[in-house]
Amino acid sequence: GAVVSQHPSRVICKSGTSVKIECRSLDFQATTMFWYRQFPKQSLMLMATSNEGSKATYEQGVEKDKFLINHASLTLSTLTVTSAHPEDSSFYICSARARAGLYSNQPQHFGDGTRLSIL
Amino acid sequence: AQKVTQAQTEISVVEKEDVTLDCVYETRDTTYYLFWYKQPPSGELVFLIRRNSFDEQNEISGRYSWNFQKSTSSFNFTITASQVVDSAVYFCARNTGNTPLVFGKGTRLSVIA
């Protein structure tokens, strides 16, 4: 149980393109989803937290107009990198949290990540 | 923010050696949770363990063991008889209840045959 599917796994595109990354909880309802970014040889840094049906809460220094997050249902959240530039190249990982009481040993279940390369 | 510090950036060991990965955390909370994750070269995060602040018992799972010491705010991870497949980046993390996980910078472990 508690599978999180993230798609696509890898994207290579030209500068100026907008890229959408999907994160789905396959066998549970995710009340909260988190988006992390990981630059090479660095840690995972939280970008934003989103609750279903609400606007996302962004961490300091993360541009909300650049990284659009939509959490329209309890099983799907999307991250859109708008007008991506080479400095946006990174590994993006989503994470989903189930309703309280479920899968209590793991508070967050992670997707396999999306490697984004902007040329 | 309450930090998680993994002072060891990279460690190399020869296969079959034991290795300990250090983790020190900051907290002002009474209740908190500590975690270890493994990130192999393919990138996905593999959950290894969760420990709550009220449970200081050490834990052993196969070749893995964890030592939780509240007095020193440490949650160290030991791999016994390391294998090449243990090569990965290991992250220590913490949260409190419903807050998002905060990760340390990770320790890159290379196990050489």
Side-chain angles (χ1 to χ4, degrees):
Chain A
V3 176
V4 175
S5 173
Q6 187 173 340
H7 179 79
S9 58
R10 185 173 187 98
V11 180
I12 302 172
C13 57
K14 293 181 180 178
S15 185
T17 307
S18 292
V19 178
K20 181 185 281 188
I21 303 170
E22 290 190 350
C23 180
R24 294 180 184 274
S25 55
L26 297 187
D27 50 1
F28 67 99
Q29 293 184 326
T31 52
T32 304
M33 287 195 175
F34 307 94
W35 288 93
Y36 290 83
R37 178 169 55 185
Q38 184 181 28
F39 290 111
K41 296 196 176 184
Q42 294 191 26
S43 187
L44 286 81
M45 299 303 296
L46 181 67
M47 297 175 67
T49 301
S50 73
N51 294 300
E52 184 265 339
S54 303
K55 287 186 179 178
T57 302
Y58 290 80
E59 295 299 300
Q60 193 170 12
V62 178
E63 300 173 57
K64 64 174 90 173
D65 294 331
K66 172 81 171 174
F67 299 99
L68 301 179
I69 292 172
N70 185 285
H71 190 169
S73 77
L74 284 171
T75 59
L76 174 65
S77 176
T78 60
L79 167 67
T80 301
V81 184
T82 60
S83 188
H85 291 288
E87 59 267 28
D88 299 321
S89 299
S90 188
F91 190 57
Y92 293 86
I93 306 177
C94 73
S95 173
R97 181 168 67 205
R99 186 174 292 123
L102 292 179
Y103 308 114
S104 57
N105 199 40
Q106 293 188 56
Q108 294 177 217
H109 303 278
F110 289 88
D112 285 348
T114 297
R115 202 165 298 279
L116 176 62
S117 301
I118 308 298
L119 305 177
Chain B
Q2 296 174 62
K3 294 192 304 185
V4 175
T5 300
Q6 295 179 255
Q8 305 149 308
T9 306
E10 296 191 27
I11 301 177
S12 286
V13 298
V14 177
E15 207 171 20
K16 297 184 184 175
E17 285 185 352
D18 299 346
V19 58
T20 295
L21 310 182
D22 298 332
C23 174
V24 174
Y25 60 91
E26 296 176 1
T27 188
R28 293 184 289 274
D29 303 290
T30 304
T31 302
Y32 53 90
Y33 303 88
L34 300 168
F35 305 81
W36 277 95
Y37 286 85
K38 174 182 180 180
Q39 187 179 41
S42 48
E44 76 275 15
L45 283 175
V46 179
F47 168 80
L48 297 178
I49 190 170
R50 171 189 188 260
R51 174 65 75 219
N52 77 54
S53 53
F54 296 107
D55 183 2
E56 278 194 83
Q57 280 193 336
N58 292 331
E59 178 142 346
I60 298 175
S61 176
R63 295 184 296 108
Y64 295 170
S65 62
W66 291 270
N67 183 278
F68 178 27
Q69 298 273 350
K70 284 179 78 171
S71 60
T72 55
S73 298
S74 66
F75 186 44
N76 296 338
F77 172 32
T78 297
I79 301 175
T80 304
S82 59
Q83 300 175 3
V84 172
V85 292
D86 296 327
S87 297
V89 181
Y90 291 86
F91 290 99
C92 182
R94 70 176 293 280
N95 78 343
T96 51
N98 289 330
T99 60
L101 287 169
V102 173
F103 290 86
K105 291 188 175 181
T107 298
R108 183 176 300 275
L109 174 65
S110 299
V111 181
I112 304 162

